[in-house]
């Protein structure tokens, strides 16, 4: 069983399903919700370093707090606690990096995020996480 689970959470219906599934199917796991503030590709050329973490502005932190409010309500409904974290960068890279940094056993991710960028079966972020993750990944549709 998974003791530590990472759930990338952006408030989308798929991310909400992923979080609910974790609370229902993994009752003893520690759950961390991760919100990634995406930095546009054209902006990355201005920065150097694979592990770059750009500071989160107050505006983005407030937005993330609003998103996590819903996630915390879901946790409360399931009588569970929820760790939350906000990072910046390319979502798939940061999700995989966070899984490594936090020594999680499992990533549970929604098939498509809030942006609606989709491929035939998976969203591009979910697909990239599946390909790059050092731990098992459960994709929720």
């Amino acid at each position: 069983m998974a003791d530590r689970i990472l759930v990338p959470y952006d408030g989308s219906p798929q991310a909400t399903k992923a979080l609910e599934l974790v609370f229902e199917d993994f009752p003893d796991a520690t759950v961390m919700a991760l919100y990634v503030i995406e930095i546009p590709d054209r902006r990355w050329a201005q920065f150097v370093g694979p592990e770059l973490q750009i500071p989160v502005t107050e505006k983005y932190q407030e937005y993330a707090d609003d998103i996590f409010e819903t996630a915390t309500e879901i946790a409360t409904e399931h009588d569970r606690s929820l760790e939350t974290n906000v990072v910046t960068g390319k979502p798939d890279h940061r999700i995989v990096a966070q899984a490594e940094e936090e020594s999680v056993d499992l990533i549970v991710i929604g098939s498509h995020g809030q942006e609606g960028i989709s491929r035939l079966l998976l969203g591009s972020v979910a697909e990239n996480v599946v390909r790059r993750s050092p731990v098992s990944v459960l994709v929720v549709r």
Side-chain angles (χ1 to χ4, degrees):
M1 265 298 175
D3 292 326
R4 290 188 54 78
I5 300 174
L6 177 66
V7 180
Y9 190 80
D10 62 2
S12 67
Q14 292 81 6
T16 300
K17 286 179 185 179
L19 189 61
E20 290 173 339
L21 180 134
V22 168
F23 288 138
E24 293 166 5
D25 291 358
F26 299 91
D28 298 323
T30 300
V31 182
M32 173 186 284
L34 176 69
Y35 179 71
V36 181
I37 298 168
E38 186 171 5
I39 305 299
D41 284 336
R42 64 187 179 277
R43 292 295 199 103
W44 279 109
Q46 299 173 8
F47 304 106
V48 178
E51 297 302 320
L52 179 67
Q53 175 64 24
I54 300 167
V56 176
T57 66
E58 185 176 328
K59 178 181 174 182
Y60 281 121
Q61 185 63 52
E62 288 174 6
Y63 183 75
D65 290 343
D66 287 345
I67 286 176
F68 284 147
E69 186 175 321
T70 302
T72 302
E73 289 171 4
I74 293 168
T76 302
E77 289 171 7
H78 288 87
D79 198 29
R80 300 285 297 279
S81 61
L82 179 67
E83 297 175 16
T84 60
N85 194 12
V86 179
V87 295
T88 59
K90 291 185 174 185
D92 52 330
H93 291 224
R94 295 305 299 155
I95 292 165
V96 170
Q98 192 74 24
E100 292 171 342
E101 290 168 17
E102 296 292 333
S103 300
V104 301
D105 304 304
L106 177 66
I107 298 172
V108 179
I109 187 169
S111 59
H112 297 87
Q114 200 169 30
E115 295 299 315
I117 299 171
S118 63
R119 294 190 178 177
L120 187 57
L121 297 174
L122 290 178
S124 59
V125 171
E127 180 178 352
N128 289 336
V129 169
V130 168
R131 290 177 191 266
R132 299 181 63 241
S133 178
V135 299
S136 296
V137 179
L138 174 60
V139 180
V140 178
R141 290 180 41 102

